[in-house]
């Protein structure tokens, strides 16, 4: 029998509650503790997930002293990730981090450096990599089926009401959110884009808050980009387009085009392969998936579970996770460059390598 990972969730609020929900379903994981500065959040998450008997702590330091923990699941506001990760690793724990890795490259690099220094592992949650349609695009790209890629892009045309920012307190701030529609919502699509189409070389972006007057950050950004391959692309993210639509990732070139949007919307190549027709049928978009995207709590627990299982499985084999800290840094580097460009009124900015 393999290792059973003793896990604790820090920040079991909105997205942290998804960890509370899926951990009991993972065979090689056991949830041994929860921690939140507002303990009632942890108790609500347990009640909603039908979980009982897990101790709740208000202080992570106290929890680390009293419990034997292998993995800290960090789901606190983004701007607090580095401190949680470093404290956990210094206490002998590995870390599973909700996106983004942190809100600046300096802070992300401190996480990576601490992991290297202490011999710990850090994995990040980018659960949309485990959706079948996105893995189909990635596989086609790896197989070279697009030929020379001309263009690739991602679109996150979502909507959030003012209440979303007001209730969170930390949302819509530079310190804790690290940005707006791009850093918080679109980071998943940005990760998919670079994972499928390859490294981004340079960006040119424009951003503003179009309808949310009270937030410090953007609710809408549009960005042109160039990949290392020479292909061109686009990144669009917003929380200002009522009622919200599904995320779209598209890639195309001389030999084919594929689109992921609430399923596999298009998967067409100059040379059809065995299994293409069945793939299109099995992953065809559904009306349920294509509904309005205005509810931040509508997180797919199944792919979250697959992401966590993949991380723990890799660690058990002594490998880095597919979504390791260094891999998670790639999307962050693109986004940081986008913000720098937008502050310079669209000036071209090179993406920092890690």
């Amino acid at each position: 029998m393999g290792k059973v990972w003793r896990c604790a969730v820090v920040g079991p609020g909105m997205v942290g509650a998804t960890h509370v929900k899926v951990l009991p379903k993972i065979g090689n994981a056991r949830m041994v503790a929860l921690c939140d500065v507002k303990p009632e959040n942890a108790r609500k998450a347990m009640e909603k997930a039908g979980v009982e008997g897990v101790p709740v702590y208000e202080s992570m330091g106290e929890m680390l002293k009293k419990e034997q923990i292998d993995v800290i699941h960090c789901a606190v506001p983004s701007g607090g990730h580095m401190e949680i990760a470093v404290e956990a690793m210094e206490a002998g724990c590995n870390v599973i981090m909700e996106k983004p890795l942190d809100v600046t490259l300096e802070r992300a690099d401190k996480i990576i450096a601490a992991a290297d220094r202490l011999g710990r592992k850090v994995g990040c949650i980018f659960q949309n990599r485990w959706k079948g349609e996105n893995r189909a695009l990635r596989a086609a790209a790896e197989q070279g089926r697009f030929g020379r890629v001309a263009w690739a892009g991602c679109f996150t045309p979502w909507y959030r009401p003012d209440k979303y920012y007001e209730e969170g307190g930390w949302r819509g701030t530079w310190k804790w959110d690290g940005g707006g529609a791009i850093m918080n919502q679109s980071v998943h699509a940005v990760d998919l884009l670079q994972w499928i189409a390859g490294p981004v070389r340079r960006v040119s972006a424009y951003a503003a808050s179009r309808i949310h007057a009270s937030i410090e950050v953007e609710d809408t950004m549009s960005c042109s980009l160039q990949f290392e391959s020479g292909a061109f692309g686009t990144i669009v993210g917003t929380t200002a387009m009522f009622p919200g639509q599904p995320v779209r990732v598209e890639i195309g070139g001389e030999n084919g085009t594929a689109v992921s949007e609430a399923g596999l919307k298009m998967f067409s190549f100059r040379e059809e392969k065995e299994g293409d027709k069945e793939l299109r049928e099995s992953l065809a978009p559904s009306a349920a998936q294509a509904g309005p995207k205005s509810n931040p709590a509508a997180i797919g627990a199944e792919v979250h579970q697959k992401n966590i299982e993949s991380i723990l499985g890799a660690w058990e084999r002594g490998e880095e996770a597919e979504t390791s800290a260094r891999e998670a840094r790639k999307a962050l580097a693109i986004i940081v460059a986008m913000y720098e460009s937008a502050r310079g009124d669209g000036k071209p900015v090179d993406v920092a390598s890690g």
Side-chain angles (χ1 to χ4, degrees):
M1 184 175 177
K3 178 180 177 65
V4 176
W5 299 85
R6 298 181 299 261
C7 301
V9 181
V10 179
M14 187 176 294
V15 70
T18 303
H19 291 249
V20 176
K21 181 179 180 180
V22 303
L23 275 171
K25 301 176 183 178
I26 297 174
N28 62 340
R30 184 160 63 92
M31 188 164 59
V32 298
L34 300 177
C35 178
D36 199 295
V37 292
K38 296 180 179 178
E40 62 271 19
N41 289 342
R43 296 187 182 99
K44 286 177 183 176
M46 282 198 294
E47 183 179 355
K48 191 172 181 180
V51 173
E52 296 179 348
V54 177
V56 174
Y57 294 88
E58 193 170 342
S59 159
M60 191 173 96
E62 182 186 4
M63 180 181 73
L64 290 168
K65 288 177 182 177
K66 292 187 176 179
E67 303 289 343
Q68 284 191 314
I69 299 169
D70 299 311
V71 184
I72 291 291
H73 292 241
C74 177
V76 303
S78 307
H81 285 184
M82 186 267 289
E83 288 81 3
I84 296 292
V86 172
E87 183 179 355
M89 288 188 282
E90 288 179 342
C93 303
N94 301 296
V95 180
I96 292 179
M97 188 78 75
E98 268 298 332
K99 59 76 188 171
L101 187 57
D102 205 290
V103 298
T104 70
L105 289 176
E106 292 77 13
R107 291 174 62 81
D109 288 341
K110 286 180 180 179
I111 293 172
I112 293 169
D116 290 346
R117 173 172 55 87
L118 297 165
R120 310 293 178 222
K121 300 287 190 184
V122 179
C124 204
I125 297 294
F126 283 113
Q127 75 272 13
N128 293 333
R129 288 192 182 198
W130 277 266
K131 290 185 175 181
E133 58 267 32
N134 296 327
R135 294 195 92 79
L137 266 64
R138 163 75 174 188
E142 286 185 311
Q143 293 161 13
R145 296 191 68 187
F146 300 103
R148 176 171 285 194
V149 173
W151 181 92
C154 64
F155 304 86
T156 307
W158 286 0
Y159 174 74
R160 294 289 185 266
D162 287 335
K163 186 179 180 182
Y164 166 79
Y165 294 103
E166 293 163 0
E167 286 185 345
W170 61 276
R171 299 189 192 109
T173 67
W174 285 112
K175 181 177 180 180
W176 296 109
D177 216 352
I182 294 296
M183 184 70 85
N184 191 314
Q185 282 78 26
S186 302
V187 61
H188 285 293
V190 174
D191 172 69
L192 289 174
L193 184 64
Q194 65 83 27
W195 181 58
I196 293 164
V200 174
R201 176 188 299 165
R202 184 175 296 120
V203 303
S204 176
Y206 294 90
S209 185
R210 298 292 299 155
I211 71 169
H212 298 102
S214 64
I215 65 175
E216 301 173 2
V217 299
E218 88 292 348
D219 67 12
T220 304
M221 181 182 279
S222 181
C223 177
S224 295
L225 53 94
Q226 186 177 30
F227 292 91
E228 292 285 358
S229 67
F232 300 111
T234 304
I235 296 171
V236 173
T238 181
T239 56
M241 288 176 60
F242 181 86
Q245 299 177 71
V247 170
R248 178 184 178 99
V249 179
E250 183 169 354
I251 178 172
E254 60 183 336
N255 293 328
T257 296
V259 179
S260 162
E261 185 178 359
L264 194 57
K265 192 168 186 177
M266 185 177 187
F267 198 70
S268 180
F269 297 92
R270 195 182 298 276
E271 293 184 11
E272 184 85 350
K273 282 190 174 183
E274 183 180 351
D276 283 358
K277 183 174 182 291
E278 291 78 6
L279 194 66
R280 286 190 292 266
E281 290 173 351
S282 66
L283 295 173
S286 69
Q289 290 175 311
K293 302 300 173 184
S294 59
N295 180 8
I299 299 169
E302 182 182 348
V303 284
H304 237 88
Q305 180 176 334
K306 288 179 180 179
N307 195 165
I308 296 170
E309 288 173 340
S310 175
I311 292 169
L312 296 179
W315 290 352
E316 188 166 355
R317 296 189 300 273
E319 302 170 0
E320 289 289 350
E322 177 180 314
T323 51
S324 67
R326 281 185 170 83
E327 182 67 14
R329 187 189 187 277
K330 295 176 182 178
L332 178 62
I334 295 167
I335 291 171
V336 167
M338 289 167 66
Y339 283 130
E340 183 180 344
S341 174
R343 286 191 291 269
D345 197 29
K347 71 173 182 179
V349 173
D350 289 341
V351 176
S353 60

